[in-house]
Amino acid sequence: MRWPRGLDGLCYGGDYNPEQWPEHVWAEDVALMRRARVNLVTVGVFAWSRLQPAPDRYDFGWLDRVLDLLHAGGVRVALATPTASPPPWFSAAHPDALPVTADGVRLTHGSRDTYCASAPAYRAAARDIAGRLAGRYRDHPALALWHVHNEYGTACHCDHAARAFRRWLRGRHGDLDRLNEAWCTSFWSQRYGDWAEIGPPRATRYLPNPGHALDWRRFCSEELLAAYVEQRDLLRTATPGVPVTTNYVLGGWVPVDHARWAAEVDLVAIDHYPSDAGAGAEEQTAFAADLARSWARRAARPADRDPGAELDSDPGVDSEPGADLESDSEPGAGAGRAGGGEGDGAAVADGPGGPAWLLMESAPNLIYAPGRMHTKEPGRMARHSLAHVARGSRGAMFFQWRAPRGGAEVFHSALVPHAGPDSRVFREAVELGAALDRLAEVDAGAVQASVAIGWDAACWWALQSPGLPSGRLDYLDEVSAAHRVLRRAGFGCDFVAPDDPLEAYPLVVLPALYLVADETAERVRRYVAAGGHLVATYLSGVADEYARVRLGGYPGALRDVLGVRVEEFHPLASGERRRLSTGDEGRHWSETVRLAGAEAVARYAGGVLDGEPALTRHRYGAGTAWYVSTRLPDEAYGRLLAGAARAAGIAPTCPGAPPGVEAVRRRSGAASWLFLFNHDTEPRRVPAVAGEDLLTGVRAEGAVTVPAGGVVVLREG
Ligand code: GLA
């Protein structure tokens, strides 16, 4: 992980689209940025048609002037490659590069992301424009960071993609016998005799093959990663001192395996738009930030990167020469290109503050949501931004700087709204800039987490299969429930991928970890045997990495460590409940659990499962493993996980914090910073804390009162 060149302290700013405005607005933009203490803006994300108005015509003059202006104003630049939105001329010239849906519909130009990442023409054009940007701005003193593309995630089912998929499958399975075996193709006469018979999982008559669908999702992630890597390598060659990143899209849509991508970016950067305006927004914020930090931690461990993963950087155009790094645009442009400027080559490795990651986009106010837009009430923008900083983000960036006059996202909020700078939102933006300045020192502190929650994008994909026993299985919901109840109980959480080491965590929670490879099962066994504490929930361990069910009883790969054998599933109808001996009621799911070494800590009470174990505990070696066979309500789930945390010797971050107050600590040696967020509408007193509030300069001795909807950041001691 590396840090934007020439930037000290926390980043503040957002997407800046000067190409949407006449030049006289640019000067006002920079003046307002200075007022708000903005120090980093992302420029050019969707500017391809302005940078290359025709196949053989380039126009960098305006961008030269923008970068010079920003540099003169002390604002650094995350320079984007514009490849997420090919210009109209490109789609007209290369209709084969327009994306095709699973139903076989070729989409038209007119929105964004209208490309196929496997189309040779698209990849060549993307390399060309990225290479020209690199060549032109490699020495520009404002350049702090490369921002490749935007939110990679577009899948295409065209023939280019089919060819690339087959190449990838050959690399993964080696021969057709192994592929047939992995996909269980003897079911429904799907056995393949020739690679050419395999295509993307396009629309079909009835249920698709789950192994095929899962490998397709993996392929899409790898294919997009290859497209990213191709641009990254061009940029790295031109500017070895400037880190390269791309912004991850989060939410209910999971197009790529971000944990895997972390190994290929210099800085993990996420976009985060909670889908809920209420308490759910705070939960989603914490969840996203903990995920981002965990991905950054993976990226900081190059030795642990997945050695088997292969990148297909060949979209079928290997004879094509690489993009020219020299600019050939109009002469005389680019006054700012002379000299390296300050901070040259100053990209830094991770400091004591832990692996670097950055909140690259968030909404200052209104955000799109199904049905209507949500308005953030006063104070929430700062609270969400600082909640990301508390969890390790090296700043807070927004989409976007200035609200557009038109275009598809005309009502998306901005730091400078349609109302202009004389507005609540801009005033809050100015306050946030000042707050981030005052918090610069927290960057030295690393976030502490003692609980690890399993996270695997492939499990999410596999659990989206239509042939599962319940339509109510939602991996994101399962994982976020574990995170939510632990957060409410005051425990800090990291996320771990299946190949991450577990030893650093006294407690590991695996919600619905459906796909478990032999190596992962072995890692979990060793962890518990050595004294670790494990909680696994239903559906964990059921299938192998190809989504083939492990025979002999669920939870397959984890039967021995959990000491149970599940004979049957009993999925529950909507609204149906299974009463437990504890008085709690399970929902969504239940099972016939047989004890095989474990003891029952709660049983089903009544109904067909009356008296059968529902929650179990198993001593395994020096450790303990709990199994949860139904979806507990939050309160009961929280009790269970808090109990497991206590058994593992973990204390909450701030034991005295009242409900509604969230506490996160960052630490560096003897120094520590305690963030206290009051999500409530009344002021809340937090006892047994001491230190100076960096936001107000006021000292707290023995207790502090956090204003309603407010934040306190104590330098403890
Ligand atoms: C994403 C994109 C932005 C913008 C916002 C709107 O994060 O990267 O370009 O579309 O969503 O929510």
Side-chain angles (χ1 to χ4, degrees):
M1 288 290 109
R2 298 187 305 157
W3 189 232
R5 184 173 67 161
L7 253 180
D8 297 324
L10 299 168
C11 298
Y12 181 43
D15 276 40
Y16 178 41
N17 301 101
E19 70 275 19
Q20 298 172 5
W21 298 96
E23 289 206 28
H24 68 85
V25 179
W26 303 353
E28 190 201 2
D29 282 329
V30 175
L32 291 175
M33 286 175 193
R34 290 179 70 91
R35 197 180 331 154
R37 302 182 202 219
V38 161
N39 57 13
L40 181 69
V41 290
T42 304
V43 179
V45 175
F46 295 115
W48 198 344
S49 67
R50 293 294 303 269
L51 293 170
Q52 191 179 4
D56 50 0
R57 199 149 52 80
Y58 298 88
D59 177 7
F60 293 104
W62 65 270
L63 187 54
D64 294 343
R65 294 194 290 285
V66 166
L67 262 56
D68 292 350
L69 203 61
L70 289 166
H71 178 59
V75 180
R76 299 190 72 84
V77 171
L79 189 55
T81 66
T83 52
S85 200
W89 61 257
F90 175 81
S91 304
H94 304 284
D96 65 305
L98 284 163
V100 174
T101 66
D103 292 335
V105 175
R106 190 176 289 282
L107 301 176
T108 55
H109 188 275
S111 183
R112 66 184 196 193
D113 296 294
T114 48
Y115 60 85
C116 164
S118 304
Y122 169 74
R123 291 277 278 267
R127 286 195 302 273
D128 175 71
I129 191 69
R132 285 172 194 274
L133 285 165
R136 189 166 189 93
Y137 298 107
R138 64 204 306 169
D139 295 324
H140 199 290
L143 177 64
L145 176 68
W146 288 110
H147 176 299
V148 175
H149 201 88
N150 189 69
E151 297 188 336
Y152 276 103
T154 306
C156 173
H157 296 71
C158 76
D159 290 343
H160 292 305
R163 276 189 291 277
F165 183 38
R166 286 193 282 270
R167 268 201 305 276
W168 182 84
L169 287 172
R170 278 176 189 265
R172 174 166 173 78
H173 296 280
D175 62 52
L176 273 179
D177 285 344
R178 282 214 285 272
L179 177 143
N180 280 311
E181 181 65 21
W183 291 4
C184 298
T185 53
S186 295
F187 195 88
W188 283 353
S189 179
Q190 292 179 348
R191 202 170 171 79
Y192 293 104
D194 191 321
W195 290 98
E197 294 162 6
I198 306 174
R202 295 171 173 143
T204 188
R205 183 70 192 85
Y206 184 39
L207 301 176
N209 179 309
H212 182 192
L214 181 58
D215 265 353
W216 168 254
R217 299 297 299 265
R218 289 180 167 127
F219 157 75
C220 289
S221 178
E222 292 297 298
E223 184 73 344
L224 291 167
L225 183 56
Y228 160 78
V229 163
E230 209 167 72
Q231 289 195 38
R232 179 204 64 191
D233 290 350
L234 278 172
L235 300 169
R236 268 192 187 162
T237 305
T239 52
V242 179
V244 187
T245 190
T246 183
N247 50 337
Y248 291 4
V249 59
L250 301 185
W253 182 54
V254 59
V256 304
D257 181 351
H258 292 122
R260 155 98 179 97
W261 280 53
E264 305 294 342
V265 296
D266 290 331
L267 170 72
V268 166
I270 63 162
D271 296 349
H272 192 245
Y273 297 95
S275 61
D276 185 296
E282 271 86 53
E283 280 153 11
Q284 291 176 29
T285 297
F287 183 78
D290 285 343
L291 264 177
R293 188 185 62 255
S294 304
W295 290 328
R297 189 202 58 234
R298 272 175 71 74
R301 291 189 292 106
D304 291 321
R305 288 174 190 173
D306 178 4
E310 283 182 15
L311 291 180
D312 176 9
S313 60
D314 167 16
V317 287
D318 40 2
S319 58
E320 186 131 341
D324 182 7
L325 288 185
E326 291 307 314
S327 160
D328 63 357
S329 61
E330 75 260 36
R337 291 165 60 202
E342 82 274 11
D344 216 24
V348 292
D350 295 322
W357 71 272
L358 180 62
L359 173 66
M360 186 61 98
E361 278 186 33
S362 55
N365 188 19
L366 283 175
I367 56 171
Y368 286 100
R372 71 174 172 103
M373 297 183 89
H374 295 304
T375 311
K376 289 190 179 178
E377 80 266 20
R380 207 163 205 155
M381 169 170 80
R383 215 157 78 235
H384 285 179
S385 302
L386 298 185
H388 281 285
V389 171
R391 289 180 152 81
S393 174
R394 301 261 170 107
M397 304 280 288
F398 292 86
F399 181 87
Q400 55 191 323
W401 167 250
R402 187 184 277 279
R405 292 199 64 184
E409 292 183 332
V410 62
F411 289 111
H412 195 287
S413 57
L415 291 168
V416 183
H418 288 145
D422 182 12
S423 57
R424 169 184 75 87
V425 172
F426 187 70
R427 280 188 287 280
E428 287 195 22
V430 172
E431 282 166 24
L432 177 58
L436 289 168
D437 256 11
R438 288 196 285 269
L439 293 183
E441 68 182 63
V442 306
D443 207 29
V447 180
Q448 309 287 309
S450 300
V451 183
I453 301 175
W455 171 267
D456 183 14
C459 285
W460 196 350
W461 299 334
L463 288 175
Q464 287 170 346
S465 173
L468 296 171
S470 168
R472 253 179 301 283
L473 298 172
D474 178 342
Y475 183 69
L476 179 60
D477 182 51
E478 298 293 337
V479 180
S480 28
H483 185 267
R484 178 171 65 238
V485 301
L486 281 161
R487 172 179 164 273
R488 280 190 198 156
F491 297 101
C493 301
D494 279 349
F495 289 95
V496 283
D499 59 347
D500 276 333
L502 304 174
E503 283 62 35
Y505 301 98
L507 173 64
V508 172
V509 182
L510 301 179
L513 194 73
Y514 183 64
L515 308 173
V516 173
D518 290 348
E519 311 80 74
T520 307
E522 184 49 32
R523 191 172 293 120
V524 172
R525 267 193 288 276
R526 275 204 309 268
Y527 163 76
V528 180
H533 295 73
L534 171 75
V535 178
T537 77
Y538 53 93
L539 284 168
S540 293
V542 165
D544 67 11
E545 65 271 40
Y546 301 108
R548 292 177 304 199
V549 167
R550 292 176 178 275
L551 304 179
Y554 319 115
L558 302 178
R559 270 201 313 265
D560 51 357
V561 69
L562 292 166
V564 295
R565 195 170 76 86
V566 173
E567 253 181 68
E568 276 180 38
F569 295 149
H570 298 263
L572 301 179
S574 165
E576 193 183 358
R577 303 281 185 261
R578 282 257 188 260
R579 210 168 163 69
L580 306 186
S581 53
T582 52
D584 301 307
E585 290 185 327
R587 60 189 75 177
H588 298 346
W589 191 261
S590 58
E591 300 177 330
T592 307
V593 180
R594 304 284 178 227
L595 300 177
E599 56 179 322
V601 295
R603 292 182 178 270
Y604 289 104
V608 288
L609 294 177
D610 188 35
E612 304 283 358
L615 312 178
T616 65
R617 183 174 49 211
H618 186 217
R619 308 269 178 223
Y620 183 81
T624 306
W626 285 262
Y627 182 63
V628 182
S629 71
T630 184
R631 174 67 180 273
L632 294 171
D634 275 8
E635 208 263 321
Y637 199 13
R639 270 198 323 268
L640 178 91
L641 293 186
R646 273 194 302 278
I650 307 170
T653 303
C654 180
V661 173
E662 174 178 12
V664 184
R665 184 172 278 112
R666 297 182 65 160
R667 199 187 286 284
S668 171
S672 64
W673 296 267
L674 180 65
F675 286 73
L676 296 167
F677 298 91
N678 182 359
H679 300 302
D680 228 324
T681 47
E682 297 296 324
R684 291 279 172 241
R685 186 170 177 278
V686 182
V689 294
E692 180 186 330
D693 180 1
L694 297 181
L695 295 172
T696 59
V698 175
R699 247 204 93 71
E701 286 300 348
V704 71
T705 297
V706 191
V711 186
V712 161
V713 184
L714 296 180
R715 182 200 293 127
E716 294 185 287

PDB file of all heavy atoms in Angstrom, residues 275-297:
ATOM      1  N   SER A 275     -27.676   2.357   1.699  1.00  0.00           N
ATOM      2  CA  SER A 275     -28.983   2.291   1.052  1.00  0.00           C
ATOM      3  C   SER A 275     -30.084   2.657   2.034  1.00  0.00           C
ATOM      4  O   SER A 275     -31.249   2.554   1.720  1.00  0.00           O
ATOM      5  CB  SER A 275     -29.219   0.879   0.520  1.00  0.00           C
ATOM      6  OG  SER A 275     -29.191  -0.016   1.612  1.00  0.00           O
ATOM      7  N   ASP A 276     -29.705   3.056   3.226  1.00  0.00           N
ATOM      8  CA  ASP A 276     -30.679   3.312   4.277  1.00  0.00           C
ATOM      9  C   ASP A 276     -30.382   4.698   4.844  1.00  0.00           C
ATOM     10  O   ASP A 276     -29.230   5.086   4.963  1.00  0.00           O
ATOM     11  CB  ASP A 276     -30.461   2.238   5.354  1.00  0.00           C
ATOM     12  CG  ASP A 276     -31.487   2.300   6.453  1.00  0.00           C
ATOM     13  OD1 ASP A 276     -31.538   3.318   7.175  1.00  0.00           O
ATOM     14  OD2 ASP A 276     -32.233   1.332   6.584  1.00  0.00           O
ATOM     15  N   ALA A 277     -31.433   5.427   5.165  1.00  0.00           N
ATOM     16  CA  ALA A 277     -31.194   6.772   5.681  1.00  0.00           C
ATOM     17  C   ALA A 277     -31.108   6.783   7.199  1.00  0.00           C
ATOM     18  O   ALA A 277     -30.616   7.735   7.792  1.00  0.00           O
ATOM     19  CB  ALA A 277     -32.317   7.697   5.224  1.00  0.00           C
ATOM     20  N   GLY A 278     -31.561   5.732   7.864  1.00  0.00           N
ATOM     21  CA  GLY A 278     -31.603   5.731   9.322  1.00  0.00           C
ATOM     22  C   GLY A 278     -30.413   5.018   9.923  1.00  0.00           C
ATOM     23  O   GLY A 278     -29.284   5.128   9.439  1.00  0.00           O
ATOM     24  N   ALA A 279     -30.702   4.244  11.013  1.00  0.00           N
ATOM     25  CA  ALA A 279     -29.613   3.564  11.729  1.00  0.00           C
ATOM     26  C   ALA A 279     -28.863   2.618  10.796  1.00  0.00           C
ATOM     27  O   ALA A 279     -27.669   2.363  10.974  1.00  0.00           O
ATOM     28  CB  ALA A 279     -30.181   2.796  12.906  1.00  0.00           C
ATOM     29  N   GLY A 280     -29.558   2.108   9.792  1.00  0.00           N
ATOM     30  CA  GLY A 280     -28.910   1.203   8.847  1.00  0.00           C
ATOM     31  C   GLY A 280     -27.734   1.858   8.148  1.00  0.00           C
ATOM     32  O   GLY A 280     -26.771   1.185   7.767  1.00  0.00           O
ATOM     33  N   ALA A 281     -27.788   3.167   7.979  1.00  0.00           N
ATOM     34  CA  ALA A 281     -26.688   3.861   7.306  1.00  0.00           C
ATOM     35  C   ALA A 281     -25.420   3.771   8.142  1.00  0.00           C
ATOM     36  O   ALA A 281     -24.321   3.568   7.614  1.00  0.00           O
ATOM     37  CB  ALA A 281     -27.064   5.320   7.063  1.00  0.00           C
ATOM     38  N   GLU A 282     -25.571   3.922   9.451  1.00  0.00           N
ATOM     39  CA  GLU A 282     -24.398   3.835  10.330  1.00  0.00           C
ATOM     40  C   GLU A 282     -23.824   2.425  10.308  1.00  0.00           C
ATOM     41  O   GLU A 282     -22.608   2.224  10.290  1.00  0.00           O
ATOM     42  CB  GLU A 282     -24.777   4.216  11.758  1.00  0.00           C
ATOM     43  CG  GLU A 282     -24.642   5.689  12.057  1.00  0.00           C
ATOM     44  CD  GLU A 282     -25.875   6.508  11.681  1.00  0.00           C
ATOM     45  OE1 GLU A 282     -26.979   6.149  12.111  1.00  0.00           O
ATOM     46  OE2 GLU A 282     -25.717   7.505  10.949  1.00  0.00           O
ATOM     47  N   GLU A 283     -24.749   1.439  10.308  1.00  0.00           N
ATOM     48  CA  GLU A 283     -24.276   0.048  10.284  1.00  0.00           C
ATOM     49  C   GLU A 283     -23.551  -0.248   8.984  1.00  0.00           C
ATOM     50  O   GLU A 283     -22.485  -0.867   8.974  1.00  0.00           O
ATOM     51  CB  GLU A 283     -25.475  -0.899  10.427  1.00  0.00           C
ATOM     52  CG  GLU A 283     -25.912  -1.038  11.863  1.00  0.00           C
ATOM     53  CD  GLU A 283     -27.394  -1.389  12.000  1.00  0.00           C
ATOM     54  OE1 GLU A 283     -28.024  -1.724  10.982  1.00  0.00           O
ATOM     55  OE2 GLU A 283     -27.898  -1.300  13.136  1.00  0.00           O
ATOM     56  N   GLN A 284     -24.130   0.203   7.896  1.00  0.00           N
ATOM     57  CA  GLN A 284     -23.502  -0.056   6.596  1.00  0.00           C
ATOM     58  C   GLN A 284     -22.160   0.666   6.485  1.00  0.00           C
ATOM     59  O   GLN A 284     -21.222   0.165   5.865  1.00  0.00           O
ATOM     60  CB  GLN A 284     -24.432   0.372   5.468  1.00  0.00           C
ATOM     61  CG  GLN A 284     -25.662  -0.507   5.347  1.00  0.00           C
ATOM     62  CD  GLN A 284     -26.621   0.001   4.273  1.00  0.00           C
ATOM     63  OE1 GLN A 284     -26.219   0.623   3.303  1.00  0.00           O
ATOM     64  NE2 GLN A 284     -27.893  -0.261   4.461  1.00  0.00           N
ATOM     65  N   THR A 285     -22.085   1.845   7.073  1.00  0.00           N
ATOM     66  CA  THR A 285     -20.826   2.596   7.040  1.00  0.00           C
ATOM     67  C   THR A 285     -19.726   1.824   7.766  1.00  0.00           C
ATOM     68  O   THR A 285     -18.618   1.646   7.254  1.00  0.00           O
ATOM     69  CB  THR A 285     -21.034   3.982   7.690  1.00  0.00           C
ATOM     70  OG1 THR A 285     -21.993   4.690   6.908  1.00  0.00           O
ATOM     71  CG2 THR A 285     -19.748   4.779   7.760  1.00  0.00           C
ATOM     72  N   ALA A 286     -20.055   1.351   8.956  1.00  0.00           N
ATOM     73  CA  ALA A 286     -19.059   0.601   9.734  1.00  0.00           C
ATOM     74  C   ALA A 286     -18.659  -0.677   8.996  1.00  0.00           C
ATOM     75  O   ALA A 286     -17.480  -1.046   8.947  1.00  0.00           O
ATOM     76  CB  ALA A 286     -19.637   0.265  11.109  1.00  0.00           C
ATOM     77  N   PHE A 287     -19.634  -1.331   8.414  1.00  0.00           N
ATOM     78  CA  PHE A 287     -19.398  -2.586   7.692  1.00  0.00           C
ATOM     79  C   PHE A 287     -18.444  -2.345   6.516  1.00  0.00           C
ATOM     80  O   PHE A 287     -17.444  -3.046   6.335  1.00  0.00           O
ATOM     81  CB  PHE A 287     -20.747  -3.112   7.201  1.00  0.00           C
ATOM     82  CG  PHE A 287     -20.707  -4.433   6.502  1.00  0.00           C
ATOM     83  CD1 PHE A 287     -20.591  -5.603   7.223  1.00  0.00           C
ATOM     84  CD2 PHE A 287     -20.806  -4.519   5.122  1.00  0.00           C
ATOM     85  CE1 PHE A 287     -20.571  -6.841   6.578  1.00  0.00           C
ATOM     86  CE2 PHE A 287     -20.788  -5.739   4.467  1.00  0.00           C
ATOM     87  CZ  PHE A 287     -20.674  -6.906   5.198  1.00  0.00           C
ATOM     88  N   ALA A 288     -18.758  -1.321   5.724  1.00  0.00           N
ATOM     89  CA  ALA A 288     -17.950  -1.034   4.531  1.00  0.00           C
ATOM     90  C   ALA A 288     -16.532  -0.644   4.933  1.00  0.00           C
ATOM     91  O   ALA A 288     -15.551  -1.076   4.316  1.00  0.00           O
ATOM     92  CB  ALA A 288     -18.592   0.095   3.735  1.00  0.00           C
ATOM     93  N   ALA A 289     -16.424   0.164   5.972  1.00  0.00           N
ATOM     94  CA  ALA A 289     -15.096   0.632   6.384  1.00  0.00           C
ATOM     95  C   ALA A 289     -14.264  -0.527   6.925  1.00  0.00           C
ATOM     96  O   ALA A 289     -13.064  -0.630   6.648  1.00  0.00           O
ATOM     97  CB  ALA A 289     -15.240   1.733   7.437  1.00  0.00           C
ATOM     98  N   ASP A 290     -14.889  -1.418   7.683  1.00  0.00           N
ATOM     99  CA  ASP A 290     -14.143  -2.573   8.200  1.00  0.00           C
ATOM    100  C   ASP A 290     -13.711  -3.498   7.059  1.00  0.00           C
ATOM    101  O   ASP A 290     -12.617  -4.070   7.091  1.00  0.00           O
ATOM    102  CB  ASP A 290     -14.983  -3.334   9.234  1.00  0.00           C
ATOM    103  CG  ASP A 290     -15.044  -2.595  10.572  1.00  0.00           C
ATOM    104  OD1 ASP A 290     -14.199  -1.702  10.805  1.00  0.00           O
ATOM    105  OD2 ASP A 290     -15.942  -2.899  11.384  1.00  0.00           O
ATOM    106  N   LEU A 291     -14.578  -3.630   6.060  1.00  0.00           N
ATOM    107  CA  LEU A 291     -14.189  -4.438   4.897  1.00  0.00           C
ATOM    108  C   LEU A 291     -12.990  -3.812   4.186  1.00  0.00           C
ATOM    109  O   LEU A 291     -12.015  -4.489   3.854  1.00  0.00           O
ATOM    110  CB  LEU A 291     -15.339  -4.518   3.899  1.00  0.00           C
ATOM    111  CG  LEU A 291     -16.264  -5.723   3.950  1.00  0.00           C
ATOM    112  CD1 LEU A 291     -17.370  -5.568   2.929  1.00  0.00           C
ATOM    113  CD2 LEU A 291     -15.523  -7.033   3.713  1.00  0.00           C
ATOM    114  N   ALA A 292     -13.080  -2.505   3.955  1.00  0.00           N
ATOM    115  CA  ALA A 292     -12.000  -1.828   3.225  1.00  0.00           C
ATOM    116  C   ALA A 292     -10.676  -1.974   3.967  1.00  0.00           C
ATOM    117  O   ALA A 292      -9.635  -2.254   3.365  1.00  0.00           O
ATOM    118  CB  ALA A 292     -12.350  -0.355   3.040  1.00  0.00           C
ATOM    119  N   ARG A 293     -10.731  -1.780   5.277  1.00  0.00           N
ATOM    120  CA  ARG A 293      -9.485  -1.895   6.046  1.00  0.00           C
ATOM    121  C   ARG A 293      -8.935  -3.323   5.966  1.00  0.00           C
ATOM    122  O   ARG A 293      -7.727  -3.547   5.864  1.00  0.00           O
ATOM    123  CB  ARG A 293      -9.736  -1.509   7.515  1.00  0.00           C
ATOM    124  CG  ARG A 293      -8.462  -1.405   8.336  1.00  0.00           C
ATOM    125  CD  ARG A 293      -8.726  -1.136   9.797  1.00  0.00           C
ATOM    126  NE  ARG A 293      -9.475  -2.198  10.428  1.00  0.00           N
ATOM    127  CZ  ARG A 293     -10.756  -2.125  10.752  1.00  0.00           C
ATOM    128  NH1 ARG A 293     -11.429  -1.020  10.525  1.00  0.00           N
ATOM    129  NH2 ARG A 293     -11.369  -3.158  11.310  1.00  0.00           N
ATOM    130  N   SER A 294      -9.842  -4.290   5.978  1.00  0.00           N
ATOM    131  CA  SER A 294      -9.397  -5.687   5.930  1.00  0.00           C
ATOM    132  C   SER A 294      -8.788  -6.017   4.568  1.00  0.00           C
ATOM    133  O   SER A 294      -7.805  -6.750   4.478  1.00  0.00           O
ATOM    134  CB  SER A 294     -10.573  -6.615   6.237  1.00  0.00           C
ATOM    135  OG  SER A 294     -11.137  -6.262   7.480  1.00  0.00           O
ATOM    136  N   TRP A 295      -9.367  -5.446   3.515  1.00  0.00           N
ATOM    137  CA  TRP A 295      -8.766  -5.659   2.184  1.00  0.00           C
ATOM    138  C   TRP A 295      -7.400  -4.995   2.122  1.00  0.00           C
ATOM    139  O   TRP A 295      -6.456  -5.556   1.557  1.00  0.00           O
ATOM    140  CB  TRP A 295      -9.681  -5.089   1.099  1.00  0.00           C
ATOM    141  CG  TRP A 295     -10.938  -5.864   0.925  1.00  0.00           C
ATOM    142  CD1 TRP A 295     -11.101  -7.218   1.108  1.00  0.00           C
ATOM    143  CD2 TRP A 295     -12.227  -5.347   0.549  1.00  0.00           C
ATOM    144  NE1 TRP A 295     -12.412  -7.561   0.855  1.00  0.00           N
ATOM    145  CE2 TRP A 295     -13.120  -6.452   0.516  1.00  0.00           C
ATOM    146  CE3 TRP A 295     -12.715  -4.092   0.230  1.00  0.00           C
ATOM    147  CZ2 TRP A 295     -14.465  -6.311   0.173  1.00  0.00           C
ATOM    148  CZ3 TRP A 295     -14.050  -3.949  -0.119  1.00  0.00           C
ATOM    149  CH2 TRP A 295     -14.919  -5.043  -0.140  1.00  0.00           C
ATOM    150  N   ALA A 296      -7.291  -3.825   2.708  1.00  0.00           N
ATOM    151  CA  ALA A 296      -5.993  -3.135   2.699  1.00  0.00           C
ATOM    152  C   ALA A 296      -4.960  -3.943   3.476  1.00  0.00           C
ATOM    153  O   ALA A 296      -3.800  -4.033   3.083  1.00  0.00           O
ATOM    154  CB  ALA A 296      -6.149  -1.735   3.297  1.00  0.00           C
ATOM    155  N   ARG A 297      -5.395  -4.568   4.550  1.00  0.00           N
ATOM    156  CA  ARG A 297      -4.465  -5.380   5.335  1.00  0.00           C
ATOM    157  C   ARG A 297      -3.975  -6.564   4.504  1.00  0.00           C
ATOM    158  O   ARG A 297      -2.803  -6.916   4.511  1.00  0.00           O
ATOM    159  CB  ARG A 297      -5.187  -5.873   6.601  1.00  0.00           C
ATOM    160  CG  ARG A 297      -4.302  -6.547   7.622  1.00  0.00           C
ATOM    161  CD  ARG A 297      -5.125  -7.450   8.523  1.00  0.00           C
ATOM    162  NE  ARG A 297      -5.820  -8.438   7.743  1.00  0.00           N
ATOM    163  CZ  ARG A 297      -7.139  -8.657   7.785  1.00  0.00           C
ATOM    164  NH1 ARG A 297      -7.889  -7.955   8.572  1.00  0.00           N
ATOM    165  NH2 ARG A 297      -7.679  -9.585   7.020  1.00  0.00           N
TER     166      ARG A 297
END
